[in-house]
Coordinates of all heavy atoms in Angstrom, one line a residue:
M55 N -8.9 7.6 -34.1 CA -9.7 6.4 -33.9 C -10.2 6.3 -32.5 O -9.5 6.2 -31.6 CB -8.9 5.1 -34.2 CG -8.6 5.0 -35.7 SD -10.0 4.7 -36.8 CE -10.3 2.9 -36.4
G56 N -11.5 6.3 -32.3 CA -12.0 6.3 -30.9 C -12.5 4.8 -30.7 O -12.1 3.9 -31.4
A57 N -13.2 4.6 -29.7 CA -13.8 3.3 -29.4 C -14.7 2.9 -30.4 O -15.4 3.7 -31.0 CB -14.4 3.3 -27.9
P58 N -14.9 1.5 -30.7 CA -15.8 1.2 -31.7 C -17.1 1.5 -31.3 O -17.6 1.4 -30.1 CB -15.6 -0.3 -31.8 CG -14.9 -0.7 -30.6 CD -14.1 0.5 -30.1
E59 N -18.0 2.0 -32.2 CA -19.4 2.3 -31.9 C -20.5 1.3 -32.3 O -20.2 0.5 -33.1 CB -19.7 3.6 -32.7 CG -18.8 4.8 -32.2 CD -19.3 6.1 -32.6 OE1 -19.6 6.2 -33.9 OE2 -19.3 7.1 -31.8
R60 N -21.5 1.3 -31.6 CA -22.6 0.4 -31.9 C -23.9 1.2 -32.0 O -23.8 2.3 -31.6 CB -22.9 -0.5 -30.7 CG -21.7 -1.5 -30.4 CD -21.5 -2.5 -31.5 NE -20.4 -3.5 -31.2 CZ -19.2 -3.3 -31.5 NH1 -18.8 -2.2 -32.2 NH2 -18.2 -4.1 -31.3
T61 N -24.7 0.7 -32.8 CA -26.0 1.4 -33.1 C -27.2 0.9 -32.1 O -27.4 -0.3 -32.0 CB -26.5 1.2 -34.5 OG1 -25.4 1.6 -35.4 CG2 -27.7 2.1 -34.8
C62 N -27.8 1.9 -31.5 CA -29.0 1.6 -30.6 C -30.1 1.1 -31.6 O -30.4 1.8 -32.6 CB -29.4 2.8 -29.9 SG -31.0 2.8 -29.1
V63 N -30.7 -0.1 -31.2 CA -31.8 -0.6 -31.9 C -33.0 0.3 -31.9 O -34.0 0.1 -32.6 CB -32.1 -2.1 -31.8 CG1 -30.8 -2.9 -32.3 CG2 -32.4 -2.4 -30.5
G64 N -33.1 1.1 -30.8 CA -34.3 1.9 -30.6 C -34.2 3.2 -31.5 O -35.1 3.4 -32.3
C65 N -33.3 4.1 -31.3 CA -33.3 5.3 -31.9 C -32.2 5.4 -33.1 O -32.1 6.4 -33.7 CB -32.9 6.4 -30.9 SG -31.2 6.3 -30.2
R66 N -31.4 4.3 -33.3 CA -30.4 4.2 -34.4 C -29.3 5.2 -34.1 O -28.5 5.4 -35.2 CB -31.1 4.5 -35.7 CG -32.4 3.8 -36.0 CD -32.3 2.3 -36.0 NE -31.3 1.8 -37.0 CZ -31.1 0.6 -37.1 NH1 -31.6 -0.4 -36.2 NH2 -30.3 0.1 -38.0
S67 N -29.1 5.8 -33.0 CA -27.9 6.7 -32.9 C -26.7 5.7 -32.6 O -26.8 4.7 -32.0 CB -28.2 7.7 -31.9 OG -28.3 7.2 -30.6
R68 N -25.5 6.2 -32.8 CA -24.3 5.5 -32.7 C -23.6 5.9 -31.4 O -23.4 7.2 -31.3 CB -23.4 5.6 -33.9 CG -24.1 4.9 -35.1 CD -23.1 5.1 -36.4 NE -21.8 4.4 -36.1 CZ -21.7 3.2 -36.4 NH1 -22.7 2.3 -36.7 NH2 -20.5 2.6 -36.2
K69 N -23.3 5.1 -30.7 CA -22.5 5.4 -29.3 C -21.5 4.3 -29.0 O -21.6 3.2 -29.6 CB -23.6 5.4 -28.2 CG -24.7 6.5 -28.3 CD -25.5 6.6 -27.2 CE -26.5 7.8 -27.5 NZ -27.4 8.0 -26.4
T70 N -20.6 4.7 -28.1 CA -19.6 3.6 -27.7 C -20.3 2.6 -27.0 O -21.4 2.9 -26.2 CB -18.4 4.2 -27.0 OG1 -19.0 4.9 -25.8 CG2 -17.7 5.2 -27.8
R71 N -19.7 1.4 -26.9 CA -20.4 0.3 -26.1 C -20.7 0.6 -24.7 O -21.6 0.1 -24.2 CB -19.5 -0.9 -26.2 CG -19.6 -1.6 -27.6 CD -18.7 -2.8 -27.6 NE -18.9 -3.8 -26.6 CZ -18.6 -5.1 -26.7 NH1 -17.9 -5.5 -27.8 NH2 -18.9 -6.0 -25.8
D72 N -19.9 1.4 -24.1 CA -20.1 1.6 -22.6 C -21.3 2.5 -22.3 O -21.7 2.7 -21.2 CB -18.8 2.0 -21.8 CG -18.2 3.3 -22.4 OD1 -18.7 3.7 -23.5 OD2 -17.4 3.9 -21.7
Q73 N -21.7 3.2 -23.4 CA -22.9 4.0 -23.3 C -24.2 3.3 -23.6 O -25.2 4.0 -23.5 CB -22.7 5.3 -24.3 CG -21.6 6.2 -23.9 CD -21.5 7.2 -25.0 OE1 -21.0 7.0 -26.1 NE2 -21.8 8.5 -24.6
L74 N -24.1 2.1 -23.9 CA -25.2 1.3 -24.3 C -25.4 0.1 -23.5 O -24.5 -0.5 -22.9 CB -25.1 0.9 -25.8 CG -25.0 2.0 -26.8 CD1 -24.5 1.5 -28.1 CD2 -26.4 2.7 -27.0
I75 N -26.7 -0.4 -23.4 CA -27.0 -1.7 -22.7 C -26.9 -2.7 -23.8 O -27.6 -2.6 -24.8 CB -28.3 -1.6 -21.9 CG1 -28.3 -0.7 -20.8 CG2 -28.7 -3.0 -21.5 CD1 -29.5 -0.4 -20.0
R76 N -26.2 -3.8 -23.5 CA -26.1 -4.9 -24.5 C -27.0 -6.0 -24.2 O -27.0 -6.4 -23.0 CB -24.6 -5.4 -24.4 CG -24.4 -6.5 -25.5 CD -22.9 -6.6 -25.6 NE -22.6 -7.9 -26.2 CZ -21.8 -8.8 -25.6 NH1 -21.2 -8.6 -24.5 NH2 -21.5 -10.0 -26.3
L77 N -27.8 -6.4 -25.1 CA -28.6 -7.5 -24.9 C -28.2 -8.7 -25.7 O -27.6 -8.6 -26.8 CB -30.0 -7.1 -25.4 CG -30.7 -5.9 -24.7 CD1 -31.9 -5.4 -25.4 CD2 -30.9 -6.1 -23.3
A78 N -28.6 -9.9 -25.2 CA -28.2 -11.2 -25.9 C -29.4 -12.0 -26.0 O -30.4 -11.8 -25.3 CB -27.1 -11.9 -25.2
L79 N -29.4 -13.0 -26.8 CA -30.5 -14.0 -27.0 C -30.0 -15.3 -26.4 O -29.0 -15.8 -26.9 CB -30.8 -14.2 -28.5 CG -32.1 -14.9 -28.8 CD1 -33.4 -14.1 -28.3 CD2 -32.2 -15.2 -30.3
V80 N -30.8 -15.7 -25.4 CA -30.3 -16.9 -24.6 C -31.6 -17.8 -24.6 O -32.6 -17.5 -24.1 CB -29.9 -16.7 -23.2 CG1 -29.6 -18.0 -22.6 CG2 -28.7 -15.8 -23.2
D81 N -31.5 -19.0 -25.3 CA -32.6 -19.9 -25.4 C -33.9 -19.2 -25.9 O -34.9 -19.5 -25.4 CB -32.9 -20.6 -24.0 CG -31.7 -21.4 -23.6 OD1 -30.9 -21.9 -24.4 OD2 -31.4 -21.5 -22.3
G82 N -33.7 -18.4 -26.9 CA -34.9 -17.8 -27.5 C -35.5 -16.6 -26.7 O -36.5 -16.1 -27.1
R83 N -34.8 -16.3 -25.6 CA -35.4 -15.0 -24.8 C -34.3 -14.0 -24.9 O -33.1 -14.2 -24.8 CB -35.5 -15.5 -23.3 CG -36.5 -16.5 -23.1 CD -36.7 -16.7 -21.6 NE -37.5 -15.6 -21.0 CZ -38.8 -15.8 -20.8 NH1 -39.3 -16.9 -20.8 NH2 -39.5 -14.8 -20.3
V84 N -34.8 -12.8 -24.9 CA -33.9 -11.6 -24.8 C -33.6 -11.4 -23.4 O -34.4 -11.3 -22.5 CB -34.5 -10.3 -25.4 CG1 -33.7 -9.2 -25.4 CG2 -35.1 -10.6 -26.9
T85 N -32.3 -11.2 -23.1 CA -31.8 -11.0 -21.8 C -30.6 -10.1 -21.7 O -30.1 -9.7 -22.9 CB -31.5 -12.3 -21.2 OG1 -31.1 -12.0 -19.8 CG2 -30.2 -13.0 -21.8
L86 N -30.2 -9.6 -20.7 CA -29.0 -8.8 -20.5 C -27.8 -9.7 -20.9 O -27.6 -10.7 -20.4 CB -28.8 -8.1 -19.3 CG -30.0 -7.2 -18.8 CD1 -29.6 -6.8 -17.3 CD2 -30.1 -6.0 -19.7
A87 N -26.9 -9.1 -21.7 CA -25.6 -9.8 -22.0 C -24.7 -9.9 -20.8 O -24.5 -8.8 -20.2 CB -24.9 -9.2 -23.2
Q88 N -24.2 -11.0 -20.5 CA -23.3 -11.1 -19.4 C -21.9 -11.1 -19.8 O -21.4 -12.0 -20.6 CB -23.5 -12.4 -18.6 CG -24.9 -12.5 -18.2 CD -25.4 -11.6 -17.1 OE1 -24.6 -11.1 -16.3 NE2 -26.7 -11.2 -17.0
G89 N -21.1 -10.1 -19.4 CA -19.7 -10.0 -19.7 C -19.4 -10.3 -21.1 O -19.7 -9.5 -22.0
S90 N -18.7 -11.4 -21.4 CA -18.3 -11.7 -22.7 C -19.2 -12.7 -23.4 O -18.7 -13.5 -24.2 CB -16.9 -12.2 -22.7 OG -16.8 -13.4 -21.9
S91 N -20.5 -12.6 -23.2 CA -21.4 -13.6 -23.8 C -21.3 -13.5 -25.3 O -21.2 -12.4 -25.9 CB -22.8 -13.6 -23.3 OG -23.1 -12.2 -23.1
R92 N -21.2 -14.7 -25.9 CA -21.0 -14.7 -27.3 C -22.3 -14.7 -28.1 O -23.4 -14.7 -27.6 CB -20.2 -15.9 -27.7 CG -18.8 -15.8 -27.2 CD -18.0 -16.8 -27.7 NE -18.0 -18.1 -27.1 CZ -17.3 -19.2 -27.4 NH1 -16.5 -19.1 -28.4 NH2 -17.5 -20.3 -26.8
G93 N -22.1 -14.6 -29.4 CA -23.3 -14.6 -30.3 C -23.8 -13.2 -30.6 O -23.1 -12.3 -30.3
R94 N -24.9 -13.2 -31.2 CA -25.4 -11.9 -31.7 C -25.8 -11.0 -30.6 O -26.4 -11.5 -29.6 CB -26.6 -12.3 -32.5 CG -26.8 -11.3 -33.8 CD -27.7 -11.8 -34.6 NE -27.1 -12.7 -35.7 CZ -26.5 -12.0 -36.8 NH1 -26.4 -10.7 -36.8 NH2 -25.9 -12.7 -37.7
S95 N -25.6 -9.8 -30.6 CA -26.0 -8.8 -29.6 C -26.8 -7.7 -30.2 O -26.8 -7.4 -31.5 CB -24.8 -8.2 -29.0 OG -23.9 -9.0 -28.6
A96 N -27.6 -7.1 -29.4 CA -28.4 -5.8 -29.7 C -28.0 -4.9 -28.7 O -27.8 -5.1 -27.5 CB -29.8 -6.1 -29.8
Y97 N -28.0 -3.6 -29.1 CA -27.6 -2.5 -28.1 C -28.7 -1.5 -28.1 O -29.4 -1.2 -29.0 CB -26.4 -1.8 -28.6 CG -25.2 -2.7 -28.6 CD1 -24.8 -3.5 -29.6 CD2 -24.3 -2.8 -27.5 CE1 -23.9 -4.4 -29.6 CE2 -23.2 -3.7 -27.5 CZ -23.0 -4.5 -28.5 OH -21.9 -5.3 -28.5
L98 N -28.9 -1.0 -26.8 CA -29.8 0.1 -26.6 C -29.3 1.1 -25.7 O -28.6 0.8 -24.8 CB -31.1 -0.6 -25.9 CG -32.2 -1.3 -26.7 CD1 -33.1 -2.1 -25.8 CD2 -33.0 -0.3 -27.5
C99 N -29.8 2.3 -25.9 CA -29.5 3.4 -25.0 C -30.1 3.1 -23.5 O -31.2 2.5 -23.6 CB -29.9 4.7 -25.4 SG -29.5 5.3 -27.0
P100 N -29.5 3.5 -22.5 CA -30.1 3.2 -21.2 C -31.3 4.1 -20.9 O -31.3 4.9 -20.0 CB -29.0 3.4 -20.3 CG -28.0 4.2 -20.9 CD -28.2 4.0 -22.4
N101 N -32.3 4.0 -21.8 CA -33.5 4.8 -21.4 C -34.8 4.0 -21.9 O -34.7 3.2 -22.9 CB -33.5 6.3 -21.9 CG -33.5 6.3 -23.3 OD1 -34.4 5.9 -24.0 ND2 -32.4 6.9 -23.9
D102 N -35.8 4.2 -21.3 CA -37.1 3.4 -21.6 C -37.6 3.7 -23.0 O -38.2 3.0 -23.6 CB -38.2 3.8 -20.5 CG -37.9 3.2 -19.2 OD1 -37.1 2.2 -19.1 OD2 -38.4 3.8 -18.2
E103 N -37.4 4.9 -23.4 CA -37.8 5.4 -24.7 C -37.3 4.5 -25.8 O -38.0 4.1 -26.8 CB -37.5 6.8 -25.0 CG -38.5 7.6 -25.8 CD -38.0 9.1 -25.7 OE1 -37.9 9.7 -24.7 OE2 -37.6 9.6 -26.8
C104 N -36.1 4.2 -25.7 CA -35.4 3.5 -26.8 C -35.8 2.0 -26.7 O -36.1 1.3 -27.8 CB -33.8 3.5 -26.7 SG -33.2 5.1 -27.2
L105 N -36.0 1.5 -25.5 CA -36.6 0.2 -25.4 C -38.0 0.1 -26.0 O -38.3 -0.8 -26.7 CB -36.6 -0.3 -23.9 CG -37.2 -1.7 -23.7 CD1 -36.4 -2.8 -24.4 CD2 -37.4 -1.9 -22.2
A106 N -38.8 1.0 -25.6 CA -40.1 1.1 -26.2 C -40.2 1.1 -27.6 O -41.0 0.5 -28.3 CB -41.1 2.2 -25.6
K107 N -39.4 2.0 -28.1 CA -39.2 2.1 -29.7 C -38.9 0.7 -30.2 O -39.4 0.3 -31.3 CB -38.2 3.1 -30.1 CG -38.7 4.5 -30.2 CD -37.6 5.4 -30.8 CE -37.9 6.8 -30.3 NZ -36.7 7.6 -30.5
A108 N -37.8 0.1 -29.7 CA -37.3 -1.1 -30.3 C -38.4 -2.3 -30.2 O -38.6 -3.0 -31.2 CB -36.2 -1.6 -29.5
L109 N -39.1 -2.2 -29.1 CA -40.2 -3.3 -28.9 C -41.4 -3.0 -30.0 O -41.9 -4.0 -30.5 CB -40.8 -3.3 -27.6 CG -39.8 -3.7 -26.4 CD1 -40.5 -3.6 -25.0 CD2 -39.3 -5.1 -26.6
R110 N -41.6 -1.8 -30.1 CA -42.8 -1.4 -31.1 C -42.3 -1.8 -32.5 O -43.3 -2.3 -33.3 CB -43.0 0.1 -30.9 CG -44.4 0.5 -31.3 CD -44.7 1.8 -30.6 NE -43.8 2.8 -31.1 CZ -43.4 3.7 -30.1 NH1 -43.7 3.7 -28.8 NH2 -42.4 4.6 -30.5
R111 N -41.1 -1.6 -32.8 CA -40.7 -1.8 -34.2 C -40.2 -3.3 -34.4 O -39.7 -3.7 -35.4 CB -39.6 -0.9 -34.6 CG -40.1 0.5 -34.5 CD -39.1 1.5 -35.3 NE -37.9 0.9 -35.6 CZ -36.7 1.4 -35.2 NH1 -36.6 2.5 -34.6 NH2 -35.6 0.8 -35.5
K112 N -40.3 -4.0 -33.4 CA -39.8 -5.5 -33.3 C -38.3 -5.6 -33.8 O -37.9 -6.3 -34.5 CB -40.7 -6.4 -34.3 CG -42.1 -6.2 -33.9 CD -42.8 -7.5 -34.5 CE -44.3 -7.4 -34.3 NZ -44.8 -7.2 -32.9
A113 N -37.6 -4.5 -33.3 CA -36.2 -4.4 -33.7 C -35.4 -5.4 -33.1 O -34.3 -5.7 -33.6 CB -35.7 -2.9 -33.4
L114 N -35.8 -5.9 -32.0 CA -34.9 -7.0 -31.4 C -35.0 -8.3 -32.2 O -33.9 -8.8 -32.4 CB -35.4 -7.2 -29.9 CG -35.1 -6.1 -28.9 CD1 -35.8 -6.3 -27.6 CD2 -33.6 -5.8 -28.7
K115 N -36.1 -8.6 -32.6 CA -36.3 -9.8 -33.4 C -35.4 -9.7 -34.7 O -34.8 -10.6 -35.1 CB -37.7 -10.0 -33.9 CG -38.6 -10.5 -32.6 CD -40.0 -10.9 -33.2 CE -40.9 -11.6 -32.1 NZ -41.4 -10.5 -31.1
R116 N -35.5 -8.5 -35.2 CA -34.7 -8.2 -36.4 C -33.2 -8.3 -36.2 O -32.4 -8.9 -36.9 CB -35.0 -6.8 -37.0 CG -36.1 -6.9 -38.1 CD -35.9 -5.9 -39.1 NE -35.8 -4.6 -38.5 CZ -36.8 -3.8 -38.1 NH1 -38.1 -4.1 -38.3 NH2 -36.7 -2.6 -37.6
A117 N -32.8 -7.7 -35.1 CA -31.3 -7.6 -34.6 C -30.8 -9.1 -34.4 O -29.7 -9.4 -34.8 CB -31.2 -6.8 -33.3
F118 N -31.6 -9.9 -33.8 CA -31.2 -11.3 -33.4 C -31.4 -12.3 -34.6 O -31.1 -13.4 -34.7 CB -31.8 -11.8 -32.2 CG -31.4 -11.1 -31.0 CD1 -32.2 -10.4 -30.3 CD2 -30.0 -11.1 -30.7 CE1 -31.8 -9.7 -29.0 CE2 -29.6 -10.4 -29.5 CZ -30.5 -9.8 -28.8
R119 N -32.3 -11.8 -35.6 CA -32.7 -12.6 -36.8 C -33.3 -13.9 -36.3 O -32.9 -15.0 -36.8 CB -31.4 -12.9 -37.6 CG -30.9 -11.6 -38.3 CD -29.9 -11.8 -39.3 NE -29.2 -10.5 -39.5 CZ -28.1 -10.3 -40.3 NH1 -27.7 -11.3 -40.9 NH2 -27.6 -9.2 -40.4
A120 N -34.2 -13.8 -35.3 CA -34.7 -15.1 -34.8 C -36.0 -14.6 -34.0 O -36.2 -13.5 -33.7 CB -33.7 -15.8 -33.8
E121 N -36.9 -15.6 -33.7 CA -37.9 -15.4 -32.8 C -37.3 -15.0 -31.5 O -36.5 -15.9 -30.9 CB -38.8 -16.6 -32.7 CG -39.9 -16.5 -33.7 CD -40.6 -15.2 -33.7 OE1 -41.2 -14.9 -32.7 OE2 -40.7 -14.6 -34.8
A122 N -37.5 -13.9 -30.9 CA -36.9 -13.5 -29.7 C -38.1 -13.1 -28.8 O -38.8 -12.2 -29.0 CB -36.0 -12.3 -29.8
R123 N -38.3 -13.9 -27.7 CA -39.2 -13.6 -26.7 C -38.7 -12.4 -25.8 O -37.7 -12.5 -25.2 CB -39.5 -14.8 -25.8 CG -40.2 -15.9 -26.5 CD -40.7 -16.9 -25.7 NE -41.4 -16.5 -24.5 CZ -41.6 -17.1 -23.4 NH1 -41.1 -18.4 -23.2 NH2 -42.4 -16.7 -22.4
D124 N -39.4 -11.3 -25.9 CA -38.9 -10.1 -25.1 C -39.8 -9.8 -24.0 O -39.8 -8.6 -23.5 CB -38.8 -8.9 -26.2 CG -40.1 -8.7 -27.0 OD1 -41.2 -9.1 -26.5 OD2 -40.0 -8.1 -28.1
D125 N -40.6 -10.7 -23.5 CA -41.6 -10.4 -22.4 C -40.9 -10.0 -21.1 O -41.5 -9.4 -20.2 CB -42.6 -11.5 -22.3 CG -42.1 -12.8 -22.3 OD1 -41.5 -13.2 -23.4 OD2 -42.2 -13.5 -21.4
G126 N -39.7 -10.6 -20.9 CA -39.0 -10.3 -19.6 C -38.1 -9.0 -19.6 O -37.6 -8.7 -18.7
V127 N -38.0 -8.5 -20.7 CA -36.9 -7.6 -21.0 C -37.1 -6.2 -20.3 O -36.1 -5.6 -19.9 CB -36.4 -7.5 -22.5 CG1 -37.5 -6.6 -23.3 CG2 -35.1 -6.9 -22.6
R128 N -38.3 -5.8 -20.2 CA -38.6 -4.5 -19.8 C -37.9 -4.5 -18.2 O -37.5 -3.5 -17.8 CB -40.0 -4.2 -19.6 CG -40.5 -3.7 -21.0 CD -42.1 -3.5 -20.8 NE -42.7 -3.4 -22.0 CZ -42.9 -2.2 -22.8 NH1 -42.3 -1.2 -22.3 NH2 -43.3 -2.3 -24.0
E129 N -38.3 -5.5 -17.5 CA -37.9 -5.5 -16.0 C -36.3 -5.6 -16.0 O -35.8 -4.8 -15.1 CB -38.5 -6.8 -15.4 CG -38.9 -6.6 -14.0 CD -39.8 -7.7 -13.6 OE1 -40.9 -7.7 -13.7 OE2 -39.2 -8.7 -13.0
L130 N -35.7 -6.5 -16.7 CA -34.2 -6.5 -16.7 C -33.6 -5.2 -17.1 O -32.7 -4.7 -16.4 CB -33.8 -7.7 -17.8 CG -34.2 -9.0 -17.3 CD1 -33.8 -9.9 -18.5 CD2 -33.5 -9.5 -16.1
F131 N -34.2 -4.6 -18.0 CA -33.7 -3.3 -18.5 C -33.8 -2.3 -17.4 O -32.9 -1.4 -17.2 CB -34.6 -2.9 -19.7 CG -33.9 -1.9 -20.6 CD1 -32.8 -2.1 -21.5 CD2 -34.4 -0.6 -20.6 CE1 -32.3 -1.1 -22.3 CE2 -33.9 0.4 -21.4 CZ -32.8 0.1 -22.2
A132 N -34.9 -2.2 -16.8 CA -35.2 -1.3 -15.7 C -34.2 -1.4 -14.6 O -33.7 -0.5 -14.0 CB -36.6 -1.4 -15.2
Q133 N -33.9 -2.8 -14.3 CA -32.9 -3.0 -13.2 C -31.6 -2.5 -13.5 O -30.8 -2.0 -12.8 CB -32.9 -4.5 -12.9 CG -34.1 -5.0 -12.2 CD -34.2 -6.5 -12.2 OE1 -33.3 -7.3 -12.6 NE2 -35.3 -7.0 -11.7
E134 N -31.2 -2.8 -14.8 CA -29.9 -2.4 -15.3 C -29.7 -0.9 -15.3 O -28.7 -0.3 -14.9 CB -29.7 -2.9 -16.7 CG -28.4 -2.5 -17.4 CD -27.1 -3.0 -16.8 OE1 -27.2 -4.0 -16.0 OE2 -26.0 -2.4 -17.0
I135 N -30.8 -0.1 -15.6 CA -30.7 1.4 -15.6 C -30.5 1.8 -14.2 O -29.7 2.7 -13.8 CB -32.0 2.0 -16.2 CG1 -31.9 1.7 -17.8 CG2 -32.0 3.4 -16.0 CD1 -33.2 2.1 -18.5
A136 N -31.2 1.2 -13.2 CA -31.2 1.5 -11.8 C -29.7 1.3 -11.3 O -29.2 2.1 -10.5 CB -32.2 0.8 -11.0
V137 N -29.1 0.2 -11.7 CA -27.8 -0.1 -11.3 C -26.8 1.0 -11.8 O -26.0 1.4 -11.0 CB -27.3 -1.6 -11.8 CG1 -25.8 -1.7 -11.6 CG2 -28.1 -2.6 -11.0
R138 N -26.9 1.2 -13.1 CA -26.0 2.3 -13.6 C -26.1 3.6 -13.0 O -25.2 4.4 -12.8 CB -26.3 2.5 -15.2 CG -25.9 1.3 -15.9 CD -26.1 1.3 -17.4 NE -25.6 0.2 -18.1 CZ -24.9 0.2 -19.2 NH1 -24.7 1.3 -19.9 NH2 -24.6 -0.9 -19.7
E139 N -27.5 4.0 -12.7 CA -27.7 5.3 -12.0 C -27.1 5.4 -10.6 O -26.6 6.3 -10.2 CB -29.1 5.6 -12.1 CG -29.5 6.1 -13.5 CD -31.1 6.3 -13.6 OE1 -31.8 6.0 -12.6 OE2 -31.5 6.8 -14.7
A140 N -27.1 4.1 -10.0 CA -26.6 4.1 -8.7 C -25.1 4.3 -8.6 O -24.5 4.9 -7.6 CB -27.0 2.7 -8.0
V141 N -24.4 3.8 -9.6 CA -22.9 3.9 -9.6 C -22.4 5.2 -10.2 O -21.3 5.6 -9.9 CB -22.2 2.7 -10.3 CG1 -22.5 1.5 -9.6 CG2 -22.7 2.6 -11.8
S142 N -23.1 5.9 -10.9 CA -22.7 7.2 -11.5 C -22.9 8.3 -10.7 O -23.6 8.3 -9.7 CB -23.3 7.3 -13.0 OG -24.7 7.5 -12.9
Ligands
ZN258 ZN1 -31.3 4.8 -28.5

């Protein structure tokens, strides 16, 4: 038994949580999940391609089962990737 896996909403591949960026829905906006934020989550691989696929297929709205404003998410996502690259 390994770590529990989650599915990337962009490419649908399964990875462990620490290999994915976790997104949450806060007040109708998609944002990066903070620590143990509760509620529904969506996971994405840390690359622009998966985000682009998810946005194109409206996969975030489906994952959250709600109207999800994703207009700020590209920037947050890019920042998160930069942070991860800086520490690794
Ligand atoms: Zn992916």
Side-chain angles (χ1 to χ4, degrees):
M55 293 292 283
E59 293 189 323
R60 297 290 183 271
T61 304
C62 167
V63 295
C65 65
R66 316 297 302 173
S67 65
R68 293 176 66 78
K69 299 184 177 179
T70 57
R71 279 177 63 157
D72 61 346
Q73 293 176 292
L74 296 165
I75 291 177
R76 183 165 161 238
L77 301 172
L79 191 65
V80 177
D81 297 331
R83 295 186 80 104
V84 181
T85 186
L86 298 177
Q88 305 293 331
S90 59
S91 36
R92 291 195 277 180
R94 208 166 270 286
S95 309
Y97 295 85
L98 276 170
C99 304
N101 66 62
D102 291 333
E103 212 174 298
C104 288
L105 177 63
K107 273 185 204 164
L109 294 177
R110 206 157 54 223
R111 301 194 345 234
K112 305 200 188 306
L114 292 171
K115 289 186 176 75
R116 270 211 304 278
F118 293 119
R119 298 185 194 177
E121 269 310 301
R123 289 185 58 196
D124 52 23
D125 44 297
V127 74
R128 279 175 199 275
E129 214 165 276
L130 292 170
F131 195 77
Q133 285 167 9
E134 175 66 16
I135 291 171
V137 168
R138 288 180 178 223
E139 281 171 358
V141 295
S142 64

